[in-house]
Amino acid sequence: MKTVKEILDQKGRKVFAIDASQTVLEAIKMLADEGIGAVVVQKDGKTIGLFSERDYICRVVLTGRRSENTPVGDVMERKLVVVHPDTPVDDCMVLMTEKRTRHLPVVKDDQLVGLVSIGDLVKDIISGQQLVIEQLERYVYYS
Ligand SMILES: NC(=O)c1ccc[n+]([C@@H]2O[C@H](COP(=O)([O-])OP(=O)(O)OC[C@H]3O[C@@H](n4cnc5c(N)ncnc54)[C@H](O)[C@@H]3O)[C@@H](O)[C@H]2O)c1
């Protein structure tokens, strides 16, 4: 069964993170510049939360907070859902569905070693299905 490690081998292990004391404006600039939907929030190098586009809408825009003077640590999601590199991809799908999150930081021995998003999992499923289709097409063609 495919695991998170194999997804990270393909997509890479860089994680975009921001310190909890930095502003929401800095966080959304990072989201825009990097073309991502969430940043990991850290304090003293330790992962303490996640800040997503949804958090920006619900906790900043709709509450009338100002992006330029609100620390991202005040509006991040604190209930972190993380996975291990050995976690099966199927389990990640279940977790994302049950916990209603689209991003799972990957943690090993208390260290942040990557992040997988729902799009990474969908991409992997599609490429698996494409392989099966190609094999079936070859089978039909030669038989
Ligand atoms: N073609 C691809 O390789 C690919 C991969 C993932 C997503 N997508 C597409 O992009 C769109 C948005 O994707 P999404 O909903 O998965 O979310 P997203 O926009 O947050 O993720 C896009 C990519 O950025 C990475 N990413 C996001 N936040 C990160 C962070 N803090 N640190 C490191 N990497 C981070 C994700 O793992 C993913 O590879 C969807 O349409 C999806 O299908 C395409």
Side-chain angles (χ1 to χ4, degrees):
M1 181 169 289
K2 198 166 236 184
T3 63
V4 165
K5 181 186 175 298
E6 289 158 82
I7 304 277
L8 293 181
D9 287 344
Q10 278 223 316
K11 82 147 265 215
R13 285 168 167 75
K14 181 172 174 57
V15 178
F16 294 99
I18 194 163
D19 191 87
S21 63
Q22 288 181 259
T23 65
V24 166
L25 186 61
E26 289 173 291
I28 59 175
K29 272 189 181 154
M30 190 179 278
L31 296 183
D33 290 348
E34 305 301 340
I36 55 177
V39 281
V40 166
V41 184
Q42 298 187 315
K43 189 178 177 185
D44 301 326
K46 190 172 179 289
T47 299
I48 59 166
L50 193 75
F51 180 73
S52 68
E53 295 159 325
R54 181 179 289 169
D55 297 320
Y56 178 64
I57 293 167
C58 297
R59 297 174 177 175
V60 181
V61 178
L62 292 179
T63 57
R65 286 185 168 95
R66 291 177 66 90
S67 301
E68 52 274 43
N69 59 16
T70 302
V72 73
D74 287 3
V75 288
M76 67 185 179
E77 176 57 66
R78 290 165 190 275
K79 283 186 222 133
L80 262 186
V81 185
V82 302
V83 291
H84 187 272
D86 293 338
T87 305
V89 168
D90 287 359
D91 290 7
C92 294
M93 297 292 276
V94 172
L95 268 178
M96 284 180 172
T97 306
E98 284 181 351
K99 306 290 184 188
R100 293 180 180 271
T101 184
R102 301 188 196 110
H103 300 86
L104 298 171
V106 185
V107 174
K108 186 180 178 190
D109 300 330
D110 276 341
Q111 296 295 313
L112 183 64
V113 295
L115 179 142
V116 289
S117 74
I118 193 157
D120 298 323
L121 305 186
V122 169
K123 183 187 169 198
D124 181 68
I125 288 166
I126 290 172
S127 66
Q129 288 172 343
Q130 191 58 42
L131 193 69
V132 172
I133 289 168
E134 283 167 14
Q135 284 166 347
L136 284 172
E137 280 175 347
R138 242 175 273 134
Y139 174 77
V140 171
Y141 182 78
Y142 289 112
S143 55

